[in-house]
Structure formats: structure tokens, C-alpha cells
Amino acid sequence: MQPETEPTIWIDGEFRTKETATVSVYDHGFLYGDGVFEGIRVYSGRVFESHAHLVRLYESAKSIRMTIPMSLAELSDVLEACVKKSGMTDSYIRLVVSRGPGDLGIDPRKSPRPCVIVIVDKINVYPAEVYQTGMAIITSSVTRNHSNACPPRVKSLNYLNNVLAKIEANDAGVYEAIMLNSQGNVAECTADNIFIVRSGEIQTPGTSEGILEGVTRRVVMELAKQHSIPLVEKVLQRHDVYIADEVFLTGTGAEVVPVTKIDGRVIGDGTPGPITKKIAQIYMKFARGG
Ligand code: PMP
């Protein structure tokens, strides 16, 4: 078993070390951000929502007309083997399928074989205190990609849209930023989905607002239903977010994180609200297999 700090890396059928894990400079994932990826969590040695992540990966690939050169079942087995080899019980899997090496033009037909990469490494998480006291976020001036441009439902390697918004968050000294769609409605954050609570009802933008359909988001929606907590998909404007009783974000890395300040406005009473706490608690229980 290798030490915990060393990632386990698999590229097109072979295990590599961090030093030898390289891809071609002609790979269109590198040259053009042409490819798709997933970020998956491992809890107690179990690949969390493996099937949902793999389905989203294959759907993203289909949408950009890329054929992953192995079946979903085969790739699932590779994930399991990588997790086992890593020896880490709680980790993060980065699954990448790039268009593969081609020539210097953008034509994907010149890249006949997509490159499949699995990395199992430590998870980067928000500091523990934001889960206790809540997180401050801002609204970014960067518009979320239009669905007919670079569709947010495709988890593509082209993340510049999100990176630009994250830079604004960094400049403002916060961890996340709300991204509005081209209509000016709330879409999502740079790497997390957003939910608000109003008069006991959870509300979140629907997929037509230009969001990534987060796996965590879907799990939260199912858990809310199971626990009879009202939840609707709804068009939200900045005003709705500012006047919400509670706001929380969801994501594979973030899990469920309370938001208590947005653009200088205090959300609710400025502390994580009861519904956020309840959702966070049932989510953690579910994720950790409780
Ligand atoms: N939106 C964006 C833009 C993301 O990159 C992510 C993933 N980090 C999410 C939402 C949350 O998705 P998931 O719950 O599947 O991690």
C-alpha cells in the first residue's frame, strides 16, 4: 500500500506515478478544454453515487459527440480498482475523459481516441468553521455560460467561465460566487449549486436556468422529499436570495454548506438556519452510509 499522500493515477489502462502521469501536448483536452470530467467522493471506501456520476459523464460525452472508449460498467470497475489500490478510505476521484491527441486544429475528427484518466487523491474541502458559522459569498459579474454556447449541463473541461467568477470571489475574500444566467436570474455558484429557504419551502433554480445538475443537488432533492420537506425548482432572482430566510450550497466537495452573507446582506438572522442544518445532517448521514 502506498503512503496516503501519493495519489493513485490510471491513464488508459496503466497505473502511473504523479511524475510519470502525463498527457500529450497535442491532447485537445489541454489545447482546447475539449473533454469532460467528474469529481466523485469516496466515503469509507465506497464510491459515493458512482452510477449517477458515471451516467452524467457519459451524457456529457454524448452531448459533445465524444465516444468514451469503454463501457460504463468497465469504467465503474476501474474506479473501484483505483480506490482499492489507493488504500485511502476517504478520498476524491477525478475522472477525466479528454478528446485525446490530435493535430493543432480544433477538428475533433483528428482525435480518434479519447484519453481516460482516473486520479484518486485527498479531498480539498472548505474550512470547518464555515459549516458552523456560515459562509459569505458574492454575486459575480461573470454571466454563466448560455445553454446554447457551452452548456452548463455538460461537465466539460472548459471551466474558464467558472474560473473567471472564482477570481472575483478570491478578490472579494470569499470562497464562492453566485453566477447569474444571461437573463439575469440566479443559476448556480462557480462549483456548487444554490438553494434558498423561504417560509419553510426550499427553492432552487431548475436545469433550464443553465446549471450543472449536481449529483449532491439531486440527492438533497430526494432526501427532502423522503423527509417531507417542501422543495420546488423555481426561477430565482438576486432579490429572492437577499431576502431568503436561509441559503445553502451543495457540491461533492462542499457537501451542504450554509451561506449567511451575500453581497454584504445578512441572510436570515446571520446564522445557519434550521432547515439548512436538517438537510446537512440527513445528507451527511446518507453520504456516510448511516
Ligand atoms: N455546479 C458546478 C459548476 C460544479 O462544477 C459542480 C461540481 N463541483 C456543482 C455545481 C455541484 O455538482 P456535484 O454535486 O455533482 O458535485
Side-chain angles (χ1 to χ4, degrees), residues 37-39 53 56 92 144 152 155 159 162 188-193 211-217 250-253:
F37 76 103
E38 280 298 320
H53 281 286
R56 188 171 66 183
Y92 179 77
R144 188 73 178 103
K155 196 165 169 65
Y159 250 52
N162 313 56
E188 60 179 336
C189 291
T190 69
D192 298 308
N193 291 113
I211 62 166
L212 179 76
E213 288 176 80
V215 169
T216 319
R217 173 184 183 273
T250 65
T252 293

Side-chain angles (χ1 to χ4, degrees), residues 178-189:
I178 295 174
M179 300 185 75
L180 307 177
N181 63 21
S182 52
Q183 306 293 303
N185 298 325
V186 172
E188 60 179 336
C189 291

Side-chain angles (χ1 to χ4, degrees), residues 77-259:
D77 289 346
V78 171
L79 294 186
E80 297 293 339
C82 290
V83 168
K84 203 165 173 208
K85 187 170 163 49
S86 78
M88 294 186 223
T89 50
D90 292 274
S91 59
Y92 179 77
I93 305 172
R94 173 54 56 89
L95 174 53
V96 181
V97 186
S98 71
R99 186 75 70 176
D103 67 15
L104 294 177
I106 67 164
D107 190 346
R109 291 174 302 185
K110 302 281 177 58
S111 305
R113 178 139 183 123
C115 175
V116 184
I117 300 173
V118 178
I119 307 169
V120 182
D121 206 343
K122 294 191 301 284
I123 174 98
N124 281 324
V125 290
Y126 293 129
E129 65 261 25
V130 300
Y131 294 87
Q132 301 307 318
T133 58
M135 190 188 257
I137 63 173
I138 57 157
T139 306
S140 172
S141 71
V142 180
T143 301
R144 188 73 178 103
N145 282 333
H146 192 284
S147 298
N148 284 332
C150 191
R153 290 174 78 181
V154 173
K155 196 165 169 65
S156 88
L157 293 181
N158 200 315
Y159 250 52
L160 198 51
N161 183 226
N162 313 56
V163 170
L164 292 175
K166 176 73 174 179
I167 289 169
E168 289 190 344
N170 291 346
D171 287 347
V174 296
Y175 294 110
E176 257 296 15
I178 295 174
M179 300 185 75
L180 307 177
N181 63 21
S182 52
Q183 306 293 303
N185 298 325
V186 172
E188 60 179 336
C189 291
T190 69
D192 298 308
N193 291 113
I194 187 164
F195 293 76
I196 72 169
V197 179
R198 194 89 211 280
S199 305
E201 181 183 68
I202 303 177
Q203 304 173 351
T204 193
T207 50
S208 57
E209 294 307 298
I211 62 166
L212 179 76
E213 288 176 80
V215 169
T216 319
R217 173 184 183 273
R218 195 186 41 72
V219 169
V220 161
M221 290 170 84
E222 278 166 17
L223 291 173
K225 196 169 176 191
Q226 280 170 25
H227 287 78
S228 306
I229 303 170
L231 188 152
V232 291
E233 289 185 307
K234 200 174 167 188
V235 173
L236 298 177
Q237 296 172 329
R238 285 172 95 169
H239 180 73
D240 296 305
V241 174
Y242 292 156
I243 64 166
D245 301 324
E246 304 177 31
V247 175
F248 63 89
L249 311 182
T250 65
T252 293
E255 298 170 322
V256 177
V257 59
V259 172

Side-chain angles (χ1 to χ4, degrees), residues 49-68:
E49 294 291 305
S50 176
H51 188 71
H53 281 286
L54 286 166
V55 166
R56 188 171 66 183
L57 182 84
Y58 279 77
E59 287 178 353
S60 291
K62 182 169 188 184
S63 186
I64 69 163
R65 287 200 51 190
M66 188 176 76
T67 305
I68 298 174

Side-chain angles (χ1 to χ4, degrees), residues 271-289:
T271 63
I275 293 185
T276 300
K277 284 193 201 159
K278 173 93 184 153
I279 290 288
Q281 181 212 332
I282 57 183
Y283 180 82
M284 293 315 296
K285 191 159 181 263
F286 178 76
R288 299 196 193 282

